[in-house]
Structure formats: structure tokens, C-alpha cells
Amino acid sequence: MAVSTCVVLGASACGPDKSGDETSAAAKPTPSSEPSRSEEPSVSPRAESPSAEPTADRSAPRTKEGAIQRYEQYLHAVGREDITTVCEVAGPAAKQAEDQGFGPCTSTFVVTFQMISPAQKKALRTATVDPQRVDVLTLAKVEIPTDAIRASVTFSESELGSSTLEYLEGNWYITD
């Protein structure tokens, strides 16, 4: 249940399922908020492969693999309670949630971190995504279902949920 709150805010909080250009237009990260977010992830990159970590200040490959790397970055950041990276990757979904009254990402996710068990956090820090289970919807949009997440703790759909990532302005972002 604790992780489901995280997903509600980070991945599903953009409200009812939206399709077409409306989601893409609403999901674009705001340029004024990106500079402060882009500096911190590059200062403390993931130890496993820093060069594989896309950040806001450099482009990510517009490939399924690029989307997977970006989503793994998000999962690891949730496990580390790295609010800067979480809010940067989930920026478009978080912005939509904020517009719907959930509050800014930096305050809503801090509360969410407190609701995730230590075992779940530890599992998320090393979670990976099975590429065979990722659905490529378009060249710029992928769906990562819960059953694609590989971690030492099994997450149910109600705990973690599926995430949609879209390629916007040179990087992958969680939009739903």
C-alpha cells in the first residue's frame, strides 16, 4: 500500500487516462524548473553506470532502452529518497497532479517516501526492467507494466502500477 501512494502521485496522478496531443502538451516539463533539477542528478549519479544515466542537461536516446534506463533511474531514486531526481523524471505527471490539487512534487513525494517500507526502498534501489515486457506504443511513447519490474521484492499492480514514459524535449519523462 505504501508504494501505491508513490505511484498515485508519480505515475498515475495525472488523472483520468488522456490520449493524443493533450497529454503531450500538458506533459512538457517547464523550462524554468529544469535547471535546478538537472544539476543534482549529475552530481550524485548511480554507482552502477553513471554514463548510462540520462539527465536533464543531456539527451537520452530515443529508444526503448533509453526509456528503460530513465525509468530505472526513477525507481532507484525512489528507493534512495532522491526527491530531485524523482521530481525531474516524473515532472510532467507530477505537474498534472499538482494542477489537480495534489501539491508540488517536492512536498507530496517526501510524504510518500515515509510510507515505503525499508525492504521496498532497498529493492527499488537495484530494481531493473525486463525489456521483453515493455510495450512500445510509438517511437516516443512506451508503457512499462508492473510485471516488467525485477526486484528482490515483488510489487503488485496496486503497489507500483504501470507507467507511461514519453520522449519530450530530448529525454524520457513519466507522463502517466
Side-chain angles (χ1 to χ4, degrees):
M1 172 120 184
V3 177
S4 67
T5 304
C6 172
V7 172
V8 168
L9 291 166
S12 336
C14 29
D17 211 18
K18 296 180 182 177
S19 60
D21 293 332
E22 181 182 308
T23 302
S24 296
K28 292 190 184 204
T30 57
S32 62
S33 62
E34 278 190 33
S36 64
R37 292 179 185 163
S38 65
E39 292 174 21
E40 225 172 288
S42 62
V43 170
S44 58
R46 190 173 79 201
E48 300 91 60
S49 59
S51 62
E53 289 281 3
T55 61
D57 60 346
R58 71 174 177 234
S59 294
R62 188 176 182 170
T63 62
K64 178 168 96 172
E65 293 76 17
I68 289 170
Q69 286 177 351
R70 183 72 155 167
Y71 191 65
E72 287 176 351
Q73 176 187 25
Y74 167 80
L75 293 173
H76 299 172
V78 171
R80 290 188 321 265
E81 297 186 20
D82 177 354
I83 193 70
T84 302
T85 301
V86 167
C87 290
E88 194 266 317
V89 176
K95 175 69 174 125
Q96 288 177 356
E98 183 177 353
D99 291 347
Q100 294 175 1
F102 284 93
C105 181
T106 53
S107 61
T108 56
F109 253 96
V110 169
V111 172
T112 302
F113 291 150
Q114 296 169 1
M115 301 166 86
I116 302 171
S117 75
Q120 290 171 319
K121 288 177 190 173
K122 184 176 180 181
L124 287 171
R125 285 190 287 258
T126 58
T128 60
V129 174
D130 179 354
Q132 299 300 317
R133 296 188 181 264
V134 174
D135 296 318
V136 177
L137 306 175
T138 70
L139 291 175
K141 190 173 188 177
V142 300
E143 178 79 16
I144 301 180
T146 306
D147 66 356
I149 308 301
R150 299 291 176 245
S152 59
V153 172
T154 302
F155 291 95
S156 68
E157 182 69 28
S158 64
E159 290 175 317
L160 196 54
S162 298
S163 292
T164 301
L165 281 79
E166 291 187 60
Y167 195 81
L168 305 166
E169 299 179 11
N171 217 331
W172 290 96
Y173 293 91
I174 298 172
T175 57
D176 193 20

